[in-house]
Amino acid sequence: MKRLFIPLQGAQMLFVAFGALVLMPLLSGLDTSVALFTAGFGTLLFQIITKRQVPIFLASSFAFIAPIMYGVQTWGIPATMGGLMVAGFVYVLLGLMVKVKGSGFIHKLLPPVVVGPVIIIIGLGLAPMAVNMALGKTGDGSTVIVEQDIALFIALMSLATTVLIAVFAKGVLKLMPILAGILVGYGLSLAFGIVDFSPVAQASWLSVPKFVAPEFHWQAILFMIPVAIAPAVEHIGDLLAISNVTGKDYFKKPGLHRTLTGDGVATIAASALGGPPNTTYSEVTGAVTLTKNFDPRIMTWTAITAITLAFIGKLGALMQTIPLPVMGGIMCLLFGSIAAVGLNTLIRNQVDLNEPRNLSIVGVTLVFGIGGMAFGIGEFSLTGISLCGLVAIVMNLVLPMPKEPKAD
C-alpha cells in the first residue's frame, strides 16, 4: 500500500515547487512547458549520477533570472542557452576539483566576501523591472499595459499574500507562498477583466514543448560563467540542509563531487533544450522536512509528473495569461529576497567590513554591479554580473590577507 502512495507524494512535491518553477521562465521569457520538462529530465539525470541517494528535486534557478533577461534581450534565447550550457560545465568542473582537491577548494576560491556581494547584485540587478511591471508597464517602462491604479492594487495584493503566507501560514501551505500570491493576483485580474484567454483557446490539449537549440556566442558565455557562483554556493547550502533533515551525510555519500556534477549535467541538459538552468529546490526540501518522508523514489515520481505536464499544451498557454502586475508584485519580494541571501552570507560568516581588504572587495563589487560598469576593447566587453563576479574573485586572490595580531 505504501508503494501506491509514492506517485501521489511525488505529485504533491511538484505542487509545492510549481509556483516558483513556472514563475522563473515566465519572468525571463522562456517557455513554461520546456521548463517543466527540463526540471523533470534534469532531476532524473541528477538521480542517475548520484545513484538515487538524495531526496532532492531540481528546477528553475532564480539566481539566473536577471542574467537570462539581459541575455535574451541582448543576444536572443539560443545564444543565452549556449552561455548557460557553459555555466553548467562550470558546475561539472567544480565537481571534478572537489573530487581531486576536496571541498575546501571551493571555500578558498569563493569565500563569503566574494559570494555575498555577487548574490546581492543578482537580486538587485533588475529591481527597476519589478517596479515597472508592478505599475502595469513593460519591464523597461516604455509601454503601459495595464492602468496604473489597477496594476498597483493587483501587484500589492499579490505581494501581500505572498508575504503573509510565508510568515503566518502553517504546514504545507507555508511552503507555497509564491503559488498563493499568483492565485490571488490572478483572481483579482479576472475580476478587473485584464486576463486574455485567447492563447488558451488557440492551444491544443496535447503538444510538444517548444524546445530551442543553443548557439554559442562568446560574449554570452563570458557573461554567464560568473553567474554560476551563486547557484553553486546555494547547492552546497541545500545539500547541507537536506543532510541535516535526513540525518545522512550526503557530502560523503554520494559525495559533493557527484551532487555538483549532477546539478551541472542537469543544467547543461536543460539549456541544450531551451529551458532554464536547474538548481536544488529549498521548497521541496522544506516539504521533505514536513512530511518526514526521505525516500528518493518520491523525487523520481515528481520528475515524471513534471515531464507529463509539459506535454499539456493548454497548461502552458494558461501560464502565459498571468498579467504583468501579478508577476511584478511577487518580483518585488523575490529579487529583494535574493539580495537578502547575499547580505546574510556576509553576516552569518562574520565578514568584517572594518577590514580594508574586505571593504574594498564588497564596495567595488557592489558599485560595479549596480552602477553598470563596463570594460571593453573592441567587441570584447564585460559588464554587470559577469564583470563584478570576476572582479570580486580577482581582488580576493590578489589582495593580501590581513595579518593576524601577534599574541602577547
Side-chain angles (χ1 to χ4, degrees), residues 343-355:
L343 184 60
N344 188 48
T345 300
L346 297 174
I347 296 171
R348 188 178 65 249
N349 292 280
Q350 299 180 331
V351 176
D352 183 7
L353 294 182
N354 288 319
E355 168 58 48

Side-chain angles (χ1 to χ4, degrees), residues 184-203:
V184 169
Y186 197 85
L188 290 172
S189 300
L190 287 172
F192 282 105
I194 63 171
V195 181
D196 178 15
F197 284 110
S198 57
V200 180
Q202 295 168 6

Side-chain angles (χ1 to χ4, degrees), residues 131 133-136 146-157 325:
V131 173
M133 291 172 67
L135 294 175
V146 181
E147 184 182 336
Q148 181 170 318
D149 291 343
I150 294 174
L152 186 58
F153 176 73
I154 293 172
L156 290 178
M157 289 301 101

Side-chain angles (χ1 to χ4, degrees), residues 269-345:
S271 304
L273 296 172
N278 285 319
T279 190
T280 50
Y281 254 36
S282 301
E283 297 96 323
V284 175
T285 299
V288 170
T289 306
L290 186 68
T291 61
K292 305 297 182 186
N293 195 328
F294 310 137
D295 190 343
R297 290 179 300 172
I298 291 175
M299 300 307 164
T300 303
W301 282 102
T302 305
I304 292 171
T305 305
I307 291 172
T308 303
L309 290 178
F311 289 90
I312 301 177
K314 286 193 180 295
L315 176 62
L318 184 63
M319 295 299 103
Q320 301 293 334
T321 65
I322 300 175
L324 284 178
V326 178
M327 295 187 289
I330 296 172
M331 284 169 65
C332 290
L333 172 63
L334 188 63
F335 289 163
S337 297
I338 295 172
V341 169
L343 184 60
N344 188 48
T345 300

Side-chain angles (χ1 to χ4, degrees), residues 86-99 105 260-261 264:
V86 177
F89 279 107
V90 172
Y91 280 59
V92 176
L93 180 61
L94 287 174
L96 179 62
M97 296 301 291
V98 168
K99 175 69 173 177
F105 158 78
L260 271 173
T261 301

Side-chain angles (χ1 to χ4, degrees), residues 14 21 33-45 57-60 266 270 276 278 302-303 306-307:
L14 181 62
L21 194 165
S33 295
V34 175
L36 278 166
F37 181 90
T38 54
F41 184 50
T43 298
L44 294 178
L45 290 174
F57 180 70
L58 275 64
S60 314
N278 285 319
T302 305
I307 291 172

Side-chain angles (χ1 to χ4, degrees), residues 74-75 217-224 378-382 386:
T74 308
W75 302 291
H217 188 294
W218 65 266
Q219 286 182 313
I221 290 171
L222 288 177
F223 177 76
M224 287 297 177
E379 292 186 359
F380 178 84
S381 65
L382 284 173
S386 57

Side-chain angles (χ1 to χ4, degrees), residues 111 113 352 354-362 395-402:
V113 72
D352 183 7
N354 288 319
E355 168 58 48
R357 178 185 185 275
N358 294 338
L359 183 62
S360 298
I361 295 172
V362 174
M395 289 182 70
N396 176 64
L397 295 175
V398 171
L399 295 178
M401 296 295 291

